[in-house]
Amino acid sequence: MVELCRSRGLTVDEGDALAYLESLADGSLGGLFAAQVVEHFQPGYLMRLLDVAFHALRPGSRLVLETLNPACWSAFFDSYIRDVTHAWPLHPDTLSFLVTAAGFQRIEVRYMTPYSPDHKLQRVSGGRDAALTPAGISMMETFNANVDCLNGQLFSNRDYAVIAERL
């Protein structure tokens, strides 16, 4: 990626994220974006990085951290655990808390990469011509409620981003 960016005329610094941020003057950054990175950091490193990032960013600038959503079981089991470089799964609530604890405000969680409805568990319907008894209607409603619950756990959004501002 470094070579690709340089081949397009972009300035690229390659190195340790924390060391780079520590080398910057307070308030010198206008924004910080990291995609599919924070899940590779140990918790202590991540907390230190957020603290240093807070000071490196100037007031009014934003921090955007995009990562795999471990609250989506399919994303966790299909993607997260396959990559041996992943160090720590970050639930959206956890990452939001850590960003808040570092001093950031106006925290927003934006969910992305939804599963196609065609790949989710399907609900059942009684159909127009089905003469369902009250017990049959109750079973169908219970089944569909369970399908909705499972789809919410198994097949929600695969990724999310925490967006925060340094005020």
Side-chain angles (χ1 to χ4, degrees), residues 34-57:
Q36 300 294 325
V37 173
V38 295
E39 69 276 10
H40 296 271
F41 298 154
Q42 291 294 329
Y45 182 95
L46 175 60
M47 289 186 289
R48 176 75 181 132
L49 182 115
L50 292 173
D51 181 59
V52 172
F54 179 82
H55 293 288
L57 288 165

Side-chain angles (χ1 to χ4, degrees), residues 67-81:
T67 184
L68 188 130
N69 181 10
C72 173
W73 294 2
S74 290
F76 181 78
F77 289 110
D78 287 346
S79 300
Y80 184 85
I81 62 173

Side-chain angles (χ1 to χ4, degrees), residues 32-36 38-39 46 50 57 61-70 90-102 104-112 159-165:
L32 191 137
F33 172 74
Q36 300 294 325
V38 295
E39 69 276 10
L46 175 60
L50 292 173
L57 288 165
S61 57
R62 292 200 175 156
L63 169 76
V64 179
L65 303 174
E66 185 262 350
T67 184
L68 188 130
N69 181 10
L90 291 158
H91 189 281
D93 293 344
T94 303
L95 187 54
S96 295
F97 172 78
L98 294 174
V99 167
T100 301
F104 290 93
Q105 296 178 315
R106 296 187 183 152
I107 313 300
E108 174 192 352
V109 177
R110 191 170 298 170
Y111 293 92
M112 303 166 293
D159 301 296
Y160 74 93
V162 169
I163 303 164
E165 192 171 339

